[in-house]
Amino acid sequence: MIGKKNKTDKQCAQIALAAAIVGGNANGTARAMSVSLTAEEMGRAQSYLRSGKKVTGK
């Protein structure tokens, strides 16, 4: 991955949450996420969100 920064699980969750807000519906959310996250990052985001940990802050 040249030039790509590894994202933390929390960053993946933040991107997924933003995609859900911007996407407006299931199709829009899926489209926004597929542009922003890899399949592996989507899985990590889902696990992080299910854990109940905070998505805001550092």
Side-chain angles (χ1 to χ4, degrees):
M1 275 203 224
I2 298 172
K4 288 229 175 190
K5 178 184 159 199
N6 291 331
K7 297 176 186 85
T8 64
D9 292 352
K10 185 174 188 175
Q11 289 171 324
C12 292
Q14 289 170 334
I15 293 167
L17 186 59
I21 292 168
V22 172
N25 60 32
N27 289 336
T29 299
R31 189 175 198 192
M33 283 182 55
S34 69
V35 170
S36 304
L37 299 172
T38 65
E40 185 258 339
E41 290 170 337
M42 287 182 211
R44 289 176 30 217
Q46 187 177 38
S47 295
Y48 189 91
L49 292 169
R50 284 187 177 164
S51 75
K53 295 178 185 173
K54 283 188 171 185
V55 180
T56 58
K58 289 187 177 182

